């Protein structure tokens, strides 16, 4: 007689296979048996084998590909962050601390592109080292994309290919700044730049931001929940200190979601020129905004470094980005690239530039914009009444916590429910961080968005004030 409290055969097999995957007995990329073979191997019904694989997919441990089978995921949903990273979890069932763009045809697109490359005329060219900053024809492809899609006129000699926007920021810091230089940053800013600045010995000077004029979820505005940096405060800061550069995210600020108006951009440029500051324009999430004002690099090309990538619009594993450098700094950028990583892998640039030239990147950017709007609409509904701050087409939102709740307390409670989030302290450049969380919306499946956000709300509502 079977003990009613004992695990079912499906549950026991899921536990066994999960343990084998996590311990590396079943290594990443390994093909697992077909449903029929798994059923025969473990003496279970084919329907039960199907349930086993469905549960492993739900846990993020395997991936199924139609016509090919089931494979151990190359990167299970497991985080190994160091103390400087945004999250503080070693593992999580649902990761809201990072944005991973995904879409159903992603694998097939890569497979088709690899087939094209395999039949290309000079495949051996992909085995040769590129010149620092990229091959000329691939830099020209990026320059054409910037001109036609982003409205940025930049000669290919000023365009440098880098391993994602984070590496681009590191190259800019090394090429244009020196230890001890002061850089003006928003009071809440991208943690990756904070880390790069710390490694470069830069002195970050926070600039306060304007509250509220343009709404958020509550105000239904298109400029996030804050009106951008306080430019009067920035000007005053530049008068008090020898500010060498201004780091800015004018189109879809991370984490507050603002989009600066053209007037604000021109005012920022005037401040930079008045005080002879360089500008570092981070456009990582700019692709999410339709009809945004002109990028700052078009207003002040002589002093602006424009940095972006395809990692957030196409795939985080596609470490491909670019830097548009002022003409006077182009040689320094090339020297830094040569002295550090020299060049990207040729196969990465070949894939990325094919997708740029064919319009595939532009199509995926449109897909991500539509997806972001749908997810923000769900968030507005599920989190109604909470002080959510977000742009209507952003893939993340900022959640100030109710009075009396601490971010550590809430993040720990969410972790206990299997949800990873980013805490405000990762973004704060001021001494004290607000008690708030940043939630990424792109790493969940469509079916998860509503239930996961509902669980976030439920966890917060259960905590005593």
């Amino acid at each position: 007689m079977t003990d009613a409290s004992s695990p079912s055969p499906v549950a026991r097999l899921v536990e066994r296979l999960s343990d084998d995957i996590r311990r590396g007995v079943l290594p990443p990329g390994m093909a697992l048996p077909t449903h029929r073979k798994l059923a025969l191997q473990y003496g279970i019904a084919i329907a039960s084998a199907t349930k086993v694989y469905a549960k492993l997919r739900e846990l993020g441990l395997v991936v199924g590909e139609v016509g090919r089978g089931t494979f151990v995921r190359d990167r299970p949903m497991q985080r190994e962050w160091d103390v400087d990273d945004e999250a503080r979890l070693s593992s999580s069932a649902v990761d809201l601390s990072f944005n991973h763009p995904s879409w159903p045809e992603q694998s097939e697109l890569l497979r088709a592109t690899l087939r094209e490359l395999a039949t290309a005329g000079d495949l051996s060219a992909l085995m040769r080292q590129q010149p620092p900053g990229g091959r000329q024809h691939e830099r020209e492809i990026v320059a054409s994309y910037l001109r036609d899609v982003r409205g940025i006129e930049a000669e290919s000699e000023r365009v440098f290919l880098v391993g994602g926007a984070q590496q681009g920021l590191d190259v800019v810091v090394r090429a244009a700044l020196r230890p001890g230089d002061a850089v003006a940053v928003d009071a809440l800013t991208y943690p990756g730049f904070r880390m790069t600045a710390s490694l470069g010995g830069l002195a970050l000077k926070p600039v306060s931001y304007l509250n509220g004029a343009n709404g958020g979820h509550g105000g239904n505005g298109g400029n996030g929940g804050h009106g951008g940096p306080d430019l009067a405060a920035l000007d005053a800061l530049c008068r008090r200190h020898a500010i060498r550069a201004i780091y800015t995210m004018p189109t879809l600020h991370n984490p507050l979601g603002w989009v600066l108006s053209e007037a604000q951009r021109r005012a920022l440029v005037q401040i930079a020129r008045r005080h002879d500051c360089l500008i570092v324009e981070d456009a990582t999430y700019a692709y999410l905004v339709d009809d945004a004002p002109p990028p700052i690099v078009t207003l002040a090309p002589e002093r602006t470094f424009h940095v972006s990538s395809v990692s957030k619009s196409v795939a985080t594993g596609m470490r491909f980005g670019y830097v548009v450098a002022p003409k006077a700094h182009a040689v320094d950028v090339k020297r830094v690239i040569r002295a550090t990583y020299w060049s990207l892998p040729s196969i990465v640039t070949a894939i990325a530039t094919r997708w740029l030239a064919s319009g595939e990147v532009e199509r995926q950017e449109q897909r991500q914009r539509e997806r972001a709007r749908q997810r923000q609409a769900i968030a507005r509904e599920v989190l109604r009444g909470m002080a959510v701050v977000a742009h209507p087409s952003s893939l993340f939102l900022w959640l100030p916590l109710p009075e009396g709740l601490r971010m550590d307390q809430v993040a720990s409670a969410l972790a206990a429910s299997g949800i990873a989030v980013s805490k405000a302290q990762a973004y704060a450049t001021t001494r004290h961080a607000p008690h708030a969380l940043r939630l990424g919306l792109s790493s969940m499946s469509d079916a998860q968005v509503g239930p996961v956000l509902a669980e976030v709300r439920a966890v917060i509502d259960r905590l005593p004030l």
Side-chain angles (χ1 to χ4, degrees):
M1 184 173 177
T2 303
D3 183 354
S5 64
S6 65
S8 68
V10 168
R12 287 198 298 271
L13 186 51
V14 167
E15 183 177 358
R16 176 175 176 173
L17 293 175
S18 297
D19 185 59
D20 285 348
I21 290 170
R22 291 187 173 108
R23 289 189 299 113
V25 176
L26 299 175
M30 180 178 180
L32 298 179
T34 64
H35 291 213
R36 184 178 297 278
K37 287 183 178 179
L38 187 77
L40 288 172
Q41 183 178 346
Y42 291 99
I44 59 176
I46 293 178
S48 296
T50 300
K51 291 178 181 177
V52 168
Y53 282 156
K55 183 61 179 177
L56 291 174
R57 282 196 301 273
E58 183 182 323
L59 293 171
L61 297 173
V62 303
V63 60
E65 297 185 18
V66 176
R68 296 189 69 237
T70 302
F71 300 84
V72 177
R73 280 190 58 158
D74 183 57
R75 184 179 184 274
M77 288 186 177
Q78 192 170 52
R79 305 297 294 270
E80 296 178 354
W81 298 88
D82 64 32
V83 295
D84 290 323
D85 279 313
E86 298 174 49
R88 293 291 189 268
L89 289 181
S90 60
S91 64
S92 174
V94 182
D95 187 358
L96 306 188
S97 69
F98 203 76
N99 277 315
H100 300 277
S102 62
W103 27 280
E105 301 84 10
Q106 202 173 46
S107 297
E108 190 49 49
L109 173 63
L110 178 59
R111 189 172 291 112
T113 305
L114 290 173
R115 289 195 199 102
E116 290 175 12
L117 291 173
T119 58
D122 186 13
L123 188 61
S124 63
L126 299 183
M127 301 298 289
R128 292 195 288 269
Q129 184 171 262
Q130 299 182 45
R135 291 176 289 197
Q136 183 63 28
H137 73 280
E138 290 176 333
R139 293 165 73 180
E140 288 172 355
I141 288 172
V142 175
S144 295
Y145 165 81
L146 288 169
R147 181 188 64 243
D148 299 340
V149 179
R150 295 280 164 248
I152 299 171
E153 292 283 352
E155 316 84 57
S156 59
E157 290 73 18
R158 296 198 295 121
V159 175
F160 298 90
L161 309 187
V162 293
Q166 183 65 40
Q167 189 176 69
L169 292 173
D170 181 62
V171 167
V172 170
V173 166
R174 291 171 183 263
L177 303 173
R178 297 291 177 267
D181 280 351
V183 179
V185 294
D186 299 313
L188 293 168
T189 198
Y190 169 51
F193 185 74
R194 288 184 56 214
M195 288 186 276
T196 296
S198 176
L199 288 174
L202 305 181
L204 297 186
K205 301 293 184 181
V207 178
S208 58
Y209 48 83
L210 302 171
N211 279 317
N214 294 301
H217 281 167
N220 296 318
N223 198 31
H226 297 274
D230 184 335
L231 296 178
L234 173 62
D235 191 41
L237 178 70
C238 291
R239 287 197 303 270
R240 292 195 309 272
H241 300 278
I243 300 297
R244 175 61 179 147
I246 301 167
Y247 172 73
T248 181
M249 293 170 280
T251 306
L252 208 62
H253 179 274
N254 179 16
L256 295 176
W258 67 53
V259 177
L260 299 188
S261 67
E262 183 170 350
Q264 287 174 304
R265 294 168 195 238
R266 291 188 180 278
L268 189 151
V269 166
Q270 288 176 357
I271 293 169
R273 284 179 172 149
R274 184 181 308 130
H275 300 285
D276 193 22
C277 304
L278 297 172
I279 299 172
V280 182
E281 180 179 30
D282 187 338
T284 301
Y285 285 104
Y287 75 94
L288 287 169
V289 181
D290 285 317
D291 302 321
I296 286 178
V297 69
T298 66
L299 305 177
E302 83 286 354
R303 65 183 61 248
T304 303
F305 292 88
H306 181 89
V307 182
S308 194
S309 76
V310 301
S311 299
K312 297 302 184 186
S313 59
V314 179
T316 51
M318 182 57 67
R319 302 309 303 166
F320 178 89
Y322 47 84
V323 173
V324 179
K327 188 175 295 185
H329 292 271
V331 171
D332 291 331
V333 167
K334 189 171 184 177
R335 284 174 178 161
V336 167
I337 291 174
R338 182 169 182 169
T340 53
Y341 66 95
W342 190 285
S343 66
L344 295 183
S346 295
I347 193 167
V348 171
T349 59
I351 292 171
T353 54
R354 274 176 178 255
W355 290 351
L356 285 166
S358 69
E360 190 60 49
V361 169
E362 197 174 354
R363 285 189 287 276
Q364 296 311 323
E365 289 174 345
Q366 178 60 39
R367 181 196 294 264
Q368 294 295 341
R369 284 193 291 272
E370 294 169 358
R371 187 184 191 205
R373 285 191 284 266
Q374 293 166 358
R375 294 185 174 211
Q376 287 290 347
I378 294 171
R380 280 198 298 274
E381 183 61 32
V382 174
L383 303 177
R384 186 183 299 276
M386 302 184 81
V388 176
V389 175
H391 188 278
S393 62
S394 173
L395 282 170
F396 51 83
L397 59 86
W398 185 251
L399 184 61
L401 297 173
E403 186 88 22
L405 290 184
R406 299 181 57 82
M407 60 181 136
D408 289 337
Q409 170 192 15
V410 178
S412 295
L414 288 169
S417 293
I419 301 173
V421 296
S422 298
K423 296 180 288 187
Q425 71 185 58
Y427 297 81
T429 58
T430 53
R431 188 169 185 177
H432 299 290
H435 287 285
L437 305 174
R438 177 193 180 272
L439 310 182
L441 301 179
S442 74
S443 299
M444 299 178 279
S445 68
D446 290 340
Q448 285 180 301
V449 178
V452 169
L453 292 179
E455 177 63 15
V456 169
R457 178 168 196 150
V459 167
I460 293 173
D461 287 345
R462 286 197 298 267
L463 292 172
L465 299 176

